[in-house]
Amino acid sequence: MTLKDQAIIVTGGASGIGHASALELARQGANLIIADFDLNGAERVAAEVQALGVKAFAYKVDVSDPAAVEALVDFAVETLGTLTGVFNNAGISKVQSLLEMDPASYRRVIEVDQFSVYYGLYYGARKMVELGVKGVFVNTASIYGSVAAKGSFNYNAAKAAVIAMTRSGALELAEHGIRVTAVAPGFIDTPMMGQLDQSARAALAAQHVTNQLISPEKVASVVAFLFSDAASAVNGSTVAADDGFLAFKV
């Protein structure tokens, strides 16, 4: 499996799954744009990627702004010479009951977690078609795109939409040789998890078959596979990286 000389945008690349995926994609030979609202974090990750011997550039982006995503795609082509892949990974969440969730709170998660995937697909695919590139998109969905969770009404809605957009995007773009896939992580051991107390972390880990949180690196290996030619038969599908949660825990 190799991604040598591929040119891939990673949104939300400054931390967590985005950070781990950027490093794994780089190990496979891909040149990267590390895009994040946290520019300092993106620059740190870009430096780590460059140390692996490939090209990497940091870029500050608000993925909820369509003009900003279009500019990101243009930047990628200007700096890397082409665009062969987009990892639509950026996302946010806020635990809040439906009765407390005012329209602004609902809209913010939808804009970042759902609309950004559409913007990445729309501007990225149009650029690939313009360049004659048979590229690949990987979208970050979630186990919560398939099951409900209290306090996650907006997140559930956004991630379910990502799964649907992955299917529809694959169908729409197949004639151009462009693949669209998604990964649905379970409970990942990211810095955000570090804010939880030990009992809360244990309760989440217990919903996995191994009773452990999943490392970002394990999700990154799935992401790298989906971008590779080894996954050429995977199209429109959402691959669960959830340690059995969807198969055995619901």
Side-chain angles (χ1 to χ4, degrees):
M1 188 175 72
T2 179
L3 297 169
K4 184 174 174 56
D5 297 328
Q6 297 299 300
I8 299 174
I9 293 170
V10 178
T11 69
S15 62
I17 291 171
H19 178 195
S21 296
L23 294 177
E24 183 60 29
L25 294 170
R27 292 187 192 101
Q28 300 294 337
N31 299 312
L32 303 174
I33 303 297
I34 310 301
D36 203 291
F37 193 74
D38 174 10
L39 181 58
N40 289 335
E43 289 174 338
R44 287 194 296 271
V45 174
E48 290 182 64
V49 169
Q50 290 166 359
L52 295 172
V54 297
K55 297 177 183 177
F57 299 89
Y59 189 90
K60 182 172 182 175
V61 65
D62 176 357
V63 294
S64 69
D65 178 357
V69 176
E70 181 179 21
L72 167 61
V73 168
D74 289 340
F75 175 80
V77 175
E78 290 167 5
T79 53
L80 300 180
T82 188
L83 179 66
T84 65
V86 179
F87 183 24
N88 287 310
N89 170 68
I92 60 172
S93 65
K94 180 179 181 180
V95 176
Q96 193 174 38
S97 75
L98 173 58
L99 296 179
E100 297 171 333
M101 189 180 295
D102 60 31
S105 294
Y106 177 82
R107 186 181 304 112
R108 183 57 184 160
V109 170
I110 295 297
E111 287 174 344
V112 175
D113 292 14
Q114 176 184 341
F115 288 3
S116 69
V117 174
Y118 158 64
Y119 300 147
L121 284 167
Y122 177 71
Y123 292 112
R126 284 171 63 90
K127 184 61 68 174
M128 289 176 187
V129 171
E130 176 188 323
L131 297 172
V133 170
K134 296 180 179 180
V136 181
F137 290 86
V138 179
N139 305 321
T140 296
S142 170
I143 53 174
Y144 283 167
S146 299
V147 299
K150 286 186 176 180
S152 298
F153 182 85
N154 48 10
Y155 190 77
N156 289 157
K159 293 303 184 178
V162 170
I163 293 171
M165 287 191 291
T166 297
R167 291 193 295 261
S168 295
L171 180 63
E172 293 276 353
L173 298 173
E175 65 183 280
H176 301 287
I178 296 171
R179 284 194 301 117
V180 184
T181 69
V183 61
F187 301 111
I188 310 302
D189 193 5
T190 63
M192 186 178 296
M193 283 288 187
Q195 300 174 19
L196 302 178
D197 61 33
Q198 192 59 39
S199 63
R201 287 169 58 88
L204 293 176
Q207 298 182 65
H208 294 149
V209 170
T210 64
N211 294 308
Q212 297 178 346
L213 295 176
I214 301 167
S215 72
E217 290 75 19
K218 291 183 179 180
V219 180
S221 66
V222 176
V223 171
F225 166 71
L226 290 173
F227 273 114
S228 75
D229 286 343
S232 60
V234 182
N235 201 7
S237 299
T238 297
V239 178
D242 65 347
D243 194 9
F245 177 91
L246 290 176
F248 305 114
K249 298 296 186 180
V250 295

